[in-house]
Amino acid sequence: KDLIKKLDELEKKTICSREKCIGCGICAKKCPKDAITMEEDMNGFIYPKLDLKKCINCNLCRKECPINNNKKSSKKENKYYAAKSKDEKTKIKSSSGGIFAVLSEVVLENKGIVYGCQMKDFHANHIRIDKKKDIEKILGSKYIQSNIIDIFDAVKKDLIKNKQVLFSGTPCQIGALKKYLNEEYNNLITVSVICHGVTNEEILDIQIKELEKNNQDKVNNINFRTKENGWTKSSIKYEFT
């Protein structure tokens, strides 16, 4: 009986497959009893933790999970375009051709809002910007898990106000946002980066400490995809104090 009870508790605590969880936090946002918190798991990734004392077994967390409800697009035909920025400085600062910077400028010129990932103090979080001068904060790929939990409501509010919104993230983050919105918005533009999976802040922290120890200096900036060695040689650049 004790074993069955334990297995039953473990099953209730599992919202989606652990290896597929993206840490988007929709389950926590949608829980009517605040029974779910987003915490680091044993591997250092953000993962939902369920408090069974608060849980009312409504199953809403599992129903709203984008991993459990990964619907394929009904579109039968897509058009594809290749583009890059004409500005050399923008291309160098960007991870690829700088098209996100160009799109951001256009959206902001039209009084729109842009959401993207900012790396600050080696923590990756999605932020909201409404000024051109802040585009630089969200340029470039960050190869660690980004926290998008806190911006879902802000994106929805901007869309309801009929503002044009540009959102950049990994394909799974965009899937999570669309699942949270639960309806199509003509004023939403999404830009997904090609993602091969991400590491976490804990592993990055270990790497930084090792580099600081070996170089006897503090790391103050990381460029996860510098072009200093050319476009065909992907390189990570660590800047020291």
Side-chain angles (χ1 to χ4, degrees), residues 148-161:
I148 61 171
I149 300 163
D150 298 329
I151 55 92
F152 285 128
D153 291 335
V155 173
K156 191 166 187 175
K157 284 178 183 176
D158 285 328
L159 290 169
I160 291 169
K161 289 177 183 176

Side-chain angles (χ1 to χ4, degrees), residues 12-16 26-32 35-36 48 50 55 57-69 179:
K12 283 181 179 179
K13 286 183 178 181
T14 304
I15 294 164
C16 73
I26 287 181
C27 53
K29 294 284 288 183
K30 294 288 186 176
C31 180
I36 302 169
L50 182 60
C55 179
N57 296 313
C58 66
N59 214 30
L60 194 61
C61 53
R62 294 171 190 87
K63 288 176 183 175
E64 293 294 330
C65 173
I67 298 301
N68 295 337
N69 301 279
K179 178 62 182 169

Side-chain angles (χ1 to χ4, degrees), residues 206-219:
I206 292 168
Q207 188 178 25
I208 289 169
K209 285 177 180 176
E210 187 72 19
L211 284 165
E212 289 178 341
K213 181 182 176 183
N214 293 339
N215 290 274
Q216 295 293 302
D217 199 356
K218 295 285 289 181
V219 174

Side-chain angles (χ1 to χ4, degrees), residues 16 44 89 104 130 147 206-207 234:
C16 73
K89 288 181 180 178
S104 297
D130 57 8
N147 180 11
I206 292 168
Q207 188 178 25
S234 294

Side-chain angles (χ1 to χ4, degrees), residues 34-157:
D34 294 325
I36 302 169
T37 52
M38 301 303 293
E39 299 178 12
E40 281 190 10
D41 69 357
M42 56 188 174
N43 296 315
F45 288 99
I46 302 169
Y47 193 79
K49 185 177 180 182
L50 182 60
D51 185 348
L52 290 179
K53 291 178 181 177
K54 293 181 180 179
C55 179
I56 57 172
N57 296 313
C58 66
N59 214 30
L60 194 61
C61 53
R62 294 171 190 87
K63 288 176 183 175
E64 293 294 330
C65 173
I67 298 301
N68 295 337
N69 301 279
N70 188 11
K71 294 179 181 178
K72 290 184 179 180
S73 174
S74 59
K75 291 181 181 178
K76 292 182 179 179
E77 186 179 327
N78 292 306
K79 291 184 179 180
Y80 299 91
Y81 302 89
K84 61 182 179 180
S85 172
K86 291 180 179 179
D87 183 71
E88 198 63 30
K89 288 181 180 178
T90 299
K91 282 189 289 189
I92 293 300
K93 287 178 182 178
S94 304
S95 293
S96 298
I99 195 65
F100 174 63
V102 177
L103 292 172
S104 297
E105 285 182 11
V106 174
V107 169
L108 294 171
E109 282 171 4
N110 291 330
K111 308 294 182 185
I113 306 296
V114 178
Y115 290 86
C117 180
Q118 178 188 40
M119 186 85 160
K120 190 175 182 182
D121 299 325
F122 307 123
H123 297 290
N125 293 286
H126 267 63
I127 62 169
R128 176 188 189 272
I129 66 166
D130 57 8
K131 296 180 179 65
K132 275 189 179 182
K133 65 181 180 68
D134 291 327
I135 292 175
E136 201 163 312
K137 292 179 181 179
I138 53 177
L139 284 186
S141 299
K142 289 84 180 177
Y143 293 172
I144 59 172
Q145 189 178 29
S146 170
N147 180 11
I148 61 171
I149 300 163
D150 298 329
I151 55 92
F152 285 128
D153 291 335
V155 173
K156 191 166 187 175
K157 284 178 183 176

